[in-house]
Amino acid sequence: MMNVVQLGQPLAFQARNARIRAEEQRGIRAPLPAPRSAPLTFAPGTGVQTVNAYVARVSRQDPTAGGQLRTALAGKNVPAIFGQLVAPFGLGNHDVADAMAAHLIMRTMVVTGAQPPSPQGVRNVRDSIAQALAHDPKMASEAYRSQIGGEAQLDFLLVNTTWRAIGAGKWPADAAAQYRHSVASSLAREGVDLNTTQLTPDGFAPK
């Protein structure tokens, strides 16, 4: 579903920054400069356009599944629901980096069974992503930001629903294992290789 946004760079930023912060505490380095600002905000709207586009893509491959999704998502204000779920972690529903951070964390949780990071850990992931996105010229387009942010929010909700269902034992073990494998593969394409990366209370870190 997601456009591929290579996030190996933000994870590398995060590891580098953690190392530099440790050196700062020992008085070896000067403090890190403030993260470069970038146009990452977008108007979330109600998410109807994102839902319709996603349902259409699914329907082309599996009309039955597409119809079920359309029914399940009918009348749902995806950005509003997303905002309610991520607010305790300091995220909002109108920022691409916020949406991408929630998307990546949620996908990692469903694959590994990890607990969510602390609010500060979530912000660490968000800030690392923001640093990488600051160098993407496509972020100058409000339409592009809305597309990427909206898709990440919808993906978060779909994966969150599945995560809860698997946790409640509503999925057969073999189907859950197949789903986790599929999500892990998509994460690797986005730059999060769970063979070498883990989710900790402080965010993503090398294993």
Side-chain angles (χ1 to χ4, degrees):
M1 175 182 139
M2 290 292 302
N3 289 344
V4 177
V5 178
Q6 291 299 328
L7 293 173
Q9 186 177 22
L11 294 181
F13 270 131
Q14 190 166 320
R16 167 184 170 273
N17 290 351
R19 185 170 61 252
I20 292 175
R21 288 190 187 96
E23 293 176 350
E24 288 171 10
Q25 291 174 356
R26 297 196 302 271
I28 300 174
R29 285 179 180 259
L32 279 171
R36 177 181 171 184
S37 61
L40 299 179
T41 59
F42 64 97
T46 62
V48 171
Q49 184 175 353
T50 299
V51 168
N52 288 343
Y54 178 65
V55 169
R57 286 198 296 272
V58 172
S59 296
R60 285 193 290 271
Q61 298 179 356
D62 187 336
T64 300
Q68 291 171 343
L69 268 175
R70 185 179 298 279
T71 299
L73 293 170
K76 298 288 194 304
N77 186 320
V78 169
I81 299 170
F82 174 86
Q84 292 169 1
L85 291 173
V86 302
F89 295 93
L91 302 181
N93 67 353
H94 55 277
D95 182 277
V96 177
D98 285 16
M100 287 299 299
H103 153 79
L104 292 175
I105 290 169
M106 188 72 256
R107 282 184 160 245
T108 302
M109 287 169 58
V110 80
V111 173
T112 65
Q115 294 298 306
S118 67
Q120 182 57 54
V122 172
R123 296 300 300 178
N124 290 343
V125 175
R126 185 267 168 204
D127 290 346
S128 179
I129 291 170
Q131 282 193 340
L133 295 182
H135 301 282
D136 185 348
K138 295 189 294 294
M139 287 295 149
S141 166
E142 167 99 22
Y144 182 77
R145 297 196 302 272
S146 296
Q147 177 189 351
I148 295 300
E151 288 183 355
Q153 290 179 0
L154 176 57
D155 182 78
F156 170 89
L157 291 185
L158 294 173
V159 176
N160 180 271
T161 299
T162 303
W163 172 68
R164 292 175 185 275
I166 290 174
K170 296 180 180 179
W171 275 48
D174 58 341
Q178 184 176 2
Y179 179 76
R180 290 188 179 103
H181 177 75
S182 174
V183 173
S185 297
S186 69
L187 275 172
R189 290 193 295 272
E190 292 185 73
V192 183
D193 183 354
L194 295 178
N195 293 312
T196 58
T197 303
Q198 61 185 334
L199 185 61
T200 76
D202 294 324
F204 286 110
K207 283 186 174 179

